[in-house]
Amino acid sequence: MPAQLTDIIDHNLKVLFCGINPGLKSALDGHHFSGRSNRFWKVLHQSGFTPEQIEPENDTTILQSGLGLTTAVARATARADELSKEEFKESIEIFKTKVEQFQPQYIAFLGKPAYIAFSGKKQISWGLQADDFCGAKVWVLPNPSGLNRGFSLDDLVRHYAELYQVISRIN
């Protein structure tokens, strides 16, 4: 079984990006979004969050931009749809504790499944959500995984840039 991926987190972040769960390569490498087809780092840079594209092995430098990384479920899988509803249920309290401890301004869920499981809502839309989560505003973004063929790179950048525009007005 691959090692678990370590959170990259600090107090009072502008945005805590929350992936569904680690991919097998990321867990094995010990670096977030290290899968060759994952577009997270490229999208993050192109949407304005980081001054240059971060390489997965330098993932901790994301903290310098007031951003952090975590996952909803710790178990690594080849595909997020391999997770059970029970795994999400078992992860909710751990995630709530993390958010309460570190108090990010925003949580950006990467994909709808984790926020649907954590909020109990049946349907959600992309973007800003009406309800906060443990004091943090919630934004739902398309998952940047290469397996997510429903969103082109340009689509992803547009969605992420909407959040960037909002947080850039805050500070």
Side-chain angles (χ1 to χ4, degrees):
M1 179 167 130
Q4 290 187 350
L5 198 56
T6 303
D7 289 339
I8 299 173
I9 195 167
D10 204 351
H11 293 276
N12 304 310
L13 295 168
K14 292 180 215 169
V15 181
L16 177 61
F17 290 97
C18 178
I20 298 168
N21 72 311
L24 294 175
K25 181 162 177 21
S26 290
L28 190 62
D29 294 346
H31 295 290
H32 291 260
F33 303 106
S34 67
R36 190 172 41 83
S37 66
N38 196 295
R39 302 168 287 179
F40 179 77
W41 297 111
K42 183 178 283 198
V43 169
L44 206 64
H45 171 60
Q46 289 184 12
S47 61
F49 281 100
T50 59
E52 66 273 328
Q53 185 172 323
I54 296 171
E55 295 300 320
E57 60 270 14
N58 298 322
D59 55 5
T60 59
T61 64
I62 196 172
L63 291 170
Q64 296 167 12
S65 296
L67 310 171
L69 298 170
T70 190
T71 58
V73 176
R75 184 172 74 91
T77 60
R79 300 175 53 96
D81 61 8
E82 295 174 29
L83 297 172
S84 68
K85 287 181 181 174
E86 289 73 34
E87 286 177 283
F88 282 106
K89 275 186 187 173
E90 292 167 4
S91 299
I92 290 173
E93 289 307 316
I94 295 166
F95 189 77
K96 282 182 179 178
T97 300
K98 197 179 304 184
V99 173
E100 289 168 351
Q101 178 183 354
F102 290 101
Q103 300 180 335
Q105 293 174 14
Y106 282 85
I107 301 167
F109 286 94
L110 306 182
K112 292 181 178 181
Y115 186 61
I116 287 172
F118 286 1
S119 69
K121 296 176 187 254
K122 299 279 186 249
Q123 287 192 312
I124 57 172
S125 58
W126 299 115
L128 182 64
Q129 303 300 302
D131 299 322
D132 288 357
F133 188 92
C134 298
K137 290 181 177 35
V138 175
W139 202 282
V140 178
L141 294 167
N143 194 295
S145 168
L147 298 174
N148 183 3
R149 306 258 188 256
F151 290 87
S152 69
L153 180 62
D154 288 342
D155 291 336
L156 291 170
V157 169
R158 183 175 42 78
H159 279 275
Y160 283 59
E162 288 175 16
L163 173 56
Y164 177 73
Q165 293 302 316
V166 169
I167 67 147
S168 63
R169 286 184 234 134
I170 295 171
N171 297 329

